[in-house]
Amino acid sequence: MNMFLAKTLGEQLYDTLIKDDRYKYYIEGFFNTILTSLGAIIVGLILGLLIALVLYVNKKFGRLKILKAICDAYIYIIRGTPVVLQLMIMYFVVLVFIPNGIIVAIITFGLNSAAYVAELFRGGLEAVDHGQLEAGLSLGLNAKQTMAKIIVPQGLKTSLPALCNEFIALVKETSVMGYIAILDITFAAYKIQSRTLDAFVPLIISAIIYLLLITILTLILRKVERRLARGQR
Amino acid sequence: MDNAKKPILKIENLEKNFGELHVLKGINENIYKGEKIVIVGPSGSGKSTFLRCLNFMEIPTKGHIYFNDVDLTDKNTDITKVRQKMGMVFQHFNLFPHLTVMQNMTLAPVQLKLKTKEQAEADALELLKKVDLVEKANEYPNKLSGGQKQRVAIVRALNMEPEVILFDEPTSALDPEMVGEVLNVMQALAETGMTMIVVTHEMSFAKRVATRVMFMDEGVVEEQNTPDEFFDNPKSPRLKEFLSKVKHI
């Protein structure tokens, strides 16, 4: 092919997707992005909720002082450093014994997301009126029962819209996975571009895949949100 | 007052500080079964703090509170057990907005395994009937008026079958036209013999229902008496001044 003549769009599409079965990069990248995002969301949700509970219980009951200090430090470090550095530190240093990059990515993005999720949950829990806590305790429920049955359900609902945003941000954050040589949607474009020497078409295709993915995720989250909001307020 | 009987609540030298602020300055009281104590006084006099110390919503700085001979200030006392027998009704109702009226009323007795779900629901319906809210059993609190919310809050406390109920300004957050319906429920409750301690600004309720009216000022019980004596023949100058300000009743 003549390097000095512009290719038609059709030729570019052919080079990007069909030639040498390059579409397979996108398919693999798509699944790696989804797998990493889902895994990280789950890790982030669970750990984030636990951290938020520690912060809330510490504030309201004055307990768990040491755990609270650990959580504060954790959030401070995670929020103060770029996720791509965290990823490389995990892959090349801390978790160097785990050869599977995707597992490292799930752990890293999960740990990263947890710090943000914790802040969102904490905000949701603290937005629950203090009288709710007193009402639960005045009925003879202990702190744990009051948290589980009264405070957490209300706090979760309050933080849900912000959580959905966090999930969407997380999916896009995983686009730095290429730094540890995992083929995700972004890295797929980069790989194809280095073969075809066209930038436009491979990058645009990646962008469209992200858009579709986020659109579907948004629709699902909205449905969940609506279902959970039913009957309240 | 039957002094031969043991008090249900015995308060000894109760003091409470909020930082530098000395809110309660030593309160000694015996409260007997079936009494209806109404606590009045100017705002900032410590009456709500006193009430909230009784079920440890506020932890006293000094002194002792005995509920049926159990010392609440003893570190080994399981305060949740005490609270199960001491209901509380709040100024702002504090119904659980994510639960229906029925779930609000059955959550604690079922969680604490005091009643089966069926029993708790049957009792709740019975109580709702008494306050004229059966048709609201499956509504969420946002569908209720303020007066209805407070009536639900009262029967929610009652479904725990408490020995005492504390009322912390139960009508202060209500629109004027809804005060009556809540006071009526409280009066009906009083007539069943329930022991009640009520902090309120409703002097007419004090006159009608109280067996003893307490006047709190600056962290102490300044004066207390039967409602007739209290309102018609006040002794301390501060109570006289207070009553002259609320005389419009």
Side-chain angles (χ1 to χ4, degrees), chain B residues 100-109 120 123-125 127-128 152 155-156 159-160:
Chain B
T100 63
V101 166
M102 179 56 82
Q103 290 165 337
N104 262 277
M105 293 180 67
T106 55
L107 174 70
D123 292 352
L125 273 181
L127 286 163
L128 284 172
V152 170
V155 287
R156 176 176 73 180
N159 209 17
M160 288 294 293

PDB file of all heavy atoms in Angstrom, chain B residues 100-109 120 123-125 127-128 152 155-156 159-160:
ATOM      1  N   THR B 100     -42.854   0.535  56.263  1.00  0.00           N
ATOM      2  CA  THR B 100     -44.266   0.880  56.410  1.00  0.00           C
ATOM      3  C   THR B 100     -44.588   1.080  57.890  1.00  0.00           C
ATOM      4  O   THR B 100     -43.778   0.759  58.766  1.00  0.00           O
ATOM      5  CB  THR B 100     -45.171  -0.241  55.874  1.00  0.00           C
ATOM      6  OG1 THR B 100     -44.945  -1.405  56.673  1.00  0.00           O
ATOM      7  CG2 THR B 100     -44.867  -0.561  54.414  1.00  0.00           C
ATOM      8  N   VAL B 101     -45.778   1.616  58.129  1.00  0.00           N
ATOM      9  CA  VAL B 101     -46.234   1.793  59.504  1.00  0.00           C
ATOM     10  C   VAL B 101     -46.145   0.465  60.256  1.00  0.00           C
ATOM     11  O   VAL B 101     -45.604   0.388  61.368  1.00  0.00           O
ATOM     12  CB  VAL B 101     -47.683   2.327  59.506  1.00  0.00           C
ATOM     13  CG1 VAL B 101     -48.307   2.207  60.887  1.00  0.00           C
ATOM     14  CG2 VAL B 101     -47.704   3.781  59.027  1.00  0.00           C
ATOM     15  N   MET B 102     -46.641  -0.599  59.624  1.00  0.00           N
ATOM     16  CA  MET B 102     -46.611  -1.916  60.261  1.00  0.00           C
ATOM     17  C   MET B 102     -45.180  -2.357  60.563  1.00  0.00           C
ATOM     18  O   MET B 102     -44.870  -2.816  61.660  1.00  0.00           O
ATOM     19  CB  MET B 102     -47.313  -2.922  59.338  1.00  0.00           C
ATOM     20  CG  MET B 102     -47.354  -4.349  59.849  1.00  0.00           C
ATOM     21  SD  MET B 102     -48.101  -4.503  61.480  1.00  0.00           S
ATOM     22  CE  MET B 102     -49.832  -4.518  61.083  1.00  0.00           C
ATOM     23  N   GLN B 103     -44.290  -2.177  59.568  1.00  0.00           N
ATOM     24  CA  GLN B 103     -42.894  -2.584  59.780  1.00  0.00           C
ATOM     25  C   GLN B 103     -42.213  -1.735  60.849  1.00  0.00           C
ATOM     26  O   GLN B 103     -41.388  -2.227  61.619  1.00  0.00           O
ATOM     27  CB  GLN B 103     -42.120  -2.479  58.460  1.00  0.00           C
ATOM     28  CG  GLN B 103     -42.550  -3.535  57.445  1.00  0.00           C
ATOM     29  CD  GLN B 103     -42.052  -3.220  56.035  1.00  0.00           C
ATOM     30  OE1 GLN B 103     -41.773  -2.067  55.705  1.00  0.00           O
ATOM     31  NE2 GLN B 103     -41.950  -4.242  55.206  1.00  0.00           N
ATOM     32  N   ASN B 104     -42.572  -0.446  60.891  1.00  0.00           N
ATOM     33  CA  ASN B 104     -42.065   0.413  61.951  1.00  0.00           C
ATOM     34  C   ASN B 104     -42.398  -0.161  63.324  1.00  0.00           C
ATOM     35  O   ASN B 104     -41.593  -0.127  64.239  1.00  0.00           O
ATOM     36  CB  ASN B 104     -42.689   1.812  61.839  1.00  0.00           C
ATOM     37  CG  ASN B 104     -41.780   2.806  61.122  1.00  0.00           C
ATOM     38  OD1 ASN B 104     -40.895   3.378  61.736  1.00  0.00           O
ATOM     39  ND2 ASN B 104     -42.002   2.979  59.826  1.00  0.00           N
ATOM     40  N   MET B 105     -43.626  -0.676  63.431  1.00  0.00           N
ATOM     41  CA  MET B 105     -44.110  -1.127  64.733  1.00  0.00           C
ATOM     42  C   MET B 105     -43.617  -2.516  65.111  1.00  0.00           C
ATOM     43  O   MET B 105     -43.578  -2.855  66.286  1.00  0.00           O
ATOM     44  CB  MET B 105     -45.642  -1.111  64.748  1.00  0.00           C
ATOM     45  CG  MET B 105     -46.216   0.295  64.666  1.00  0.00           C
ATOM     46  SD  MET B 105     -48.015   0.259  64.678  1.00  0.00           S
ATOM     47  CE  MET B 105     -48.340  -0.330  66.342  1.00  0.00           C
ATOM     48  N   THR B 106     -43.276  -3.319  64.113  1.00  0.00           N
ATOM     49  CA  THR B 106     -42.915  -4.714  64.428  1.00  0.00           C
ATOM     50  C   THR B 106     -41.411  -4.946  64.411  1.00  0.00           C
ATOM     51  O   THR B 106     -40.949  -5.961  64.934  1.00  0.00           O
ATOM     52  CB  THR B 106     -43.579  -5.683  63.422  1.00  0.00           C
ATOM     53  OG1 THR B 106     -43.219  -5.288  62.094  1.00  0.00           O
ATOM     54  CG2 THR B 106     -45.084  -5.664  63.557  1.00  0.00           C
ATOM     55  N   LEU B 107     -40.652  -4.013  63.822  1.00  0.00           N
ATOM     56  CA  LEU B 107     -39.204  -4.234  63.673  1.00  0.00           C
ATOM     57  C   LEU B 107     -38.536  -4.623  65.002  1.00  0.00           C
ATOM     58  O   LEU B 107     -37.916  -5.683  65.102  1.00  0.00           O
ATOM     59  CB  LEU B 107     -38.528  -2.971  63.102  1.00  0.00           C
ATOM     60  CG  LEU B 107     -37.003  -3.024  63.038  1.00  0.00           C
ATOM     61  CD1 LEU B 107     -36.545  -4.001  61.976  1.00  0.00           C
ATOM     62  CD2 LEU B 107     -36.406  -1.651  62.757  1.00  0.00           C
ATOM     63  N   ALA B 108     -38.678  -3.760  66.008  1.00  0.00           N
ATOM     64  CA  ALA B 108     -37.939  -3.998  67.255  1.00  0.00           C
ATOM     65  C   ALA B 108     -38.426  -5.254  68.002  1.00  0.00           C
ATOM     66  O   ALA B 108     -37.616  -6.113  68.334  1.00  0.00           O
ATOM     67  CB  ALA B 108     -37.992  -2.765  68.148  1.00  0.00           C
ATOM     68  N   PRO B 109     -39.739  -5.406  68.236  1.00  0.00           N
ATOM     69  CA  PRO B 109     -40.154  -6.610  68.976  1.00  0.00           C
ATOM     70  C   PRO B 109     -39.768  -7.908  68.278  1.00  0.00           C
ATOM     71  O   PRO B 109     -39.448  -8.896  68.960  1.00  0.00           O
ATOM     72  CB  PRO B 109     -41.683  -6.472  69.092  1.00  0.00           C
ATOM     73  CG  PRO B 109     -42.072  -5.242  68.379  1.00  0.00           C
ATOM     74  CD  PRO B 109     -40.852  -4.477  68.002  1.00  0.00           C
ATOM     75  N   ALA B 120     -46.561  -9.877  66.808  1.00  0.00           N
ATOM     76  CA  ALA B 120     -46.242  -8.442  66.741  1.00  0.00           C
ATOM     77  C   ALA B 120     -47.213  -7.719  65.816  1.00  0.00           C
ATOM     78  O   ALA B 120     -47.654  -6.608  66.102  1.00  0.00           O
ATOM     79  CB  ALA B 120     -44.798  -8.243  66.271  1.00  0.00           C
ATOM     80  N   ASP B 123     -50.694  -7.497  67.456  1.00  0.00           N
ATOM     81  CA  ASP B 123     -50.690  -6.453  68.482  1.00  0.00           C
ATOM     82  C   ASP B 123     -50.660  -5.069  67.848  1.00  0.00           C
ATOM     83  O   ASP B 123     -51.329  -4.141  68.324  1.00  0.00           O
ATOM     84  CB  ASP B 123     -49.465  -6.614  69.394  1.00  0.00           C
ATOM     85  CG  ASP B 123     -49.557  -7.875  70.249  1.00  0.00           C
ATOM     86  OD1 ASP B 123     -50.627  -8.516  70.230  1.00  0.00           O
ATOM     87  OD2 ASP B 123     -48.559  -8.208  70.914  1.00  0.00           O
ATOM     88  N   ALA B 124     -49.875  -4.949  66.781  1.00  0.00           N
ATOM     89  CA  ALA B 124     -49.758  -3.649  66.110  1.00  0.00           C
ATOM     90  C   ALA B 124     -51.118  -3.215  65.575  1.00  0.00           C
ATOM     91  O   ALA B 124     -51.523  -2.058  65.728  1.00  0.00           O
ATOM     92  CB  ALA B 124     -48.732  -3.723  64.986  1.00  0.00           C
ATOM     93  N   LEU B 125     -51.841  -4.146  64.959  1.00  0.00           N
ATOM     94  CA  LEU B 125     -53.163  -3.816  64.427  1.00  0.00           C
ATOM     95  C   LEU B 125     -54.101  -3.366  65.536  1.00  0.00           C
ATOM     96  O   LEU B 125     -54.861  -2.398  65.381  1.00  0.00           O
ATOM     97  CB  LEU B 125     -53.755  -5.034  63.708  1.00  0.00           C
ATOM     98  CG  LEU B 125     -53.376  -5.184  62.236  1.00  0.00           C
ATOM     99  CD1 LEU B 125     -54.047  -6.418  61.647  1.00  0.00           C
ATOM    100  CD2 LEU B 125     -53.755  -3.927  61.446  1.00  0.00           C
ATOM    101  N   LEU B 127     -53.267  -1.972  68.333  1.00  0.00           N
ATOM    102  CA  LEU B 127     -52.862  -0.622  68.758  1.00  0.00           C
ATOM    103  C   LEU B 127     -53.272   0.428  67.732  1.00  0.00           C
ATOM    104  O   LEU B 127     -53.737   1.517  68.088  1.00  0.00           O
ATOM    105  CB  LEU B 127     -51.341  -0.586  68.972  1.00  0.00           C
ATOM    106  CG  LEU B 127     -50.830  -1.294  70.229  1.00  0.00           C
ATOM    107  CD1 LEU B 127     -49.330  -1.558  70.143  1.00  0.00           C
ATOM    108  CD2 LEU B 127     -51.147  -0.462  71.468  1.00  0.00           C
ATOM    109  N   LEU B 128     -53.113   0.101  66.456  1.00  0.00           N
ATOM    110  CA  LEU B 128     -53.487   1.051  65.403  1.00  0.00           C
ATOM    111  C   LEU B 128     -54.978   1.343  65.458  1.00  0.00           C
ATOM    112  O   LEU B 128     -55.422   2.457  65.186  1.00  0.00           O
ATOM    113  CB  LEU B 128     -53.090   0.510  64.026  1.00  0.00           C
ATOM    114  CG  LEU B 128     -51.598   0.606  63.683  1.00  0.00           C
ATOM    115  CD1 LEU B 128     -51.293  -0.133  62.387  1.00  0.00           C
ATOM    116  CD2 LEU B 128     -51.158   2.058  63.578  1.00  0.00           C
ATOM    117  N   VAL B 152     -48.436   7.185  65.356  1.00  0.00           N
ATOM    118  CA  VAL B 152     -47.747   5.926  65.027  1.00  0.00           C
ATOM    119  C   VAL B 152     -46.518   5.758  65.921  1.00  0.00           C
ATOM    120  O   VAL B 152     -46.252   4.667  66.439  1.00  0.00           O
ATOM    121  CB  VAL B 152     -47.336   5.882  63.538  1.00  0.00           C
ATOM    122  CG1 VAL B 152     -46.423   4.690  63.272  1.00  0.00           C
ATOM    123  CG2 VAL B 152     -48.568   5.805  62.648  1.00  0.00           C
ATOM    124  N   VAL B 155     -47.624   4.400  69.250  1.00  0.00           N
ATOM    125  CA  VAL B 155     -47.977   2.962  69.293  1.00  0.00           C
ATOM    126  C   VAL B 155     -46.773   2.089  68.927  1.00  0.00           C
ATOM    127  O   VAL B 155     -46.708   0.934  69.346  1.00  0.00           O
ATOM    128  CB  VAL B 155     -49.190   2.627  68.394  1.00  0.00           C
ATOM    129  CG1 VAL B 155     -50.463   3.153  69.037  1.00  0.00           C
ATOM    130  CG2 VAL B 155     -49.034   3.142  66.977  1.00  0.00           C
ATOM    131  N   ARG B 156     -45.821   2.643  68.175  1.00  0.00           N
ATOM    132  CA  ARG B 156     -44.591   1.883  67.935  1.00  0.00           C
ATOM    133  C   ARG B 156     -43.881   1.616  69.269  1.00  0.00           C
ATOM    134  O   ARG B 156     -43.430   0.507  69.533  1.00  0.00           O
ATOM    135  CB  ARG B 156     -43.648   2.653  67.002  1.00  0.00           C
ATOM    136  CG  ARG B 156     -42.322   1.965  66.782  1.00  0.00           C
ATOM    137  CD  ARG B 156     -41.452   2.687  65.780  1.00  0.00           C
ATOM    138  NE  ARG B 156     -40.890   3.937  66.300  1.00  0.00           N
ATOM    139  CZ  ARG B 156     -40.098   4.742  65.600  1.00  0.00           C
ATOM    140  NH1 ARG B 156     -39.775   4.444  64.350  1.00  0.00           N
ATOM    141  NH2 ARG B 156     -39.630   5.851  66.138  1.00  0.00           N
ATOM    142  N   ASN B 159     -45.832  -1.003  71.297  1.00  0.00           N
ATOM    143  CA  ASN B 159     -45.760  -2.402  70.857  1.00  0.00           C
ATOM    144  C   ASN B 159     -44.595  -3.141  71.515  1.00  0.00           C
ATOM    145  O   ASN B 159     -44.515  -4.359  71.448  1.00  0.00           O
ATOM    146  CB  ASN B 159     -45.670  -2.494  69.330  1.00  0.00           C
ATOM    147  CG  ASN B 159     -46.284  -3.782  68.801  1.00  0.00           C
ATOM    148  OD1 ASN B 159     -47.054  -4.454  69.505  1.00  0.00           O
ATOM    149  ND2 ASN B 159     -45.933  -4.147  67.578  1.00  0.00           N
ATOM    150  N   MET B 160     -43.687  -2.404  72.136  1.00  0.00           N
ATOM    151  CA  MET B 160     -42.618  -3.031  72.924  1.00  0.00           C
ATOM    152  C   MET B 160     -43.108  -3.375  74.329  1.00  0.00           C
ATOM    153  O   MET B 160     -42.380  -3.945  75.124  1.00  0.00           O
ATOM    154  CB  MET B 160     -41.420  -2.085  73.026  1.00  0.00           C
ATOM    155  CG  MET B 160     -40.629  -1.927  71.751  1.00  0.00           C
ATOM    156  SD  MET B 160     -39.814  -3.463  71.266  1.00  0.00           S
ATOM    157  CE  MET B 160     -38.616  -3.628  72.594  1.00  0.00           C
TER     158      MET B 160
END
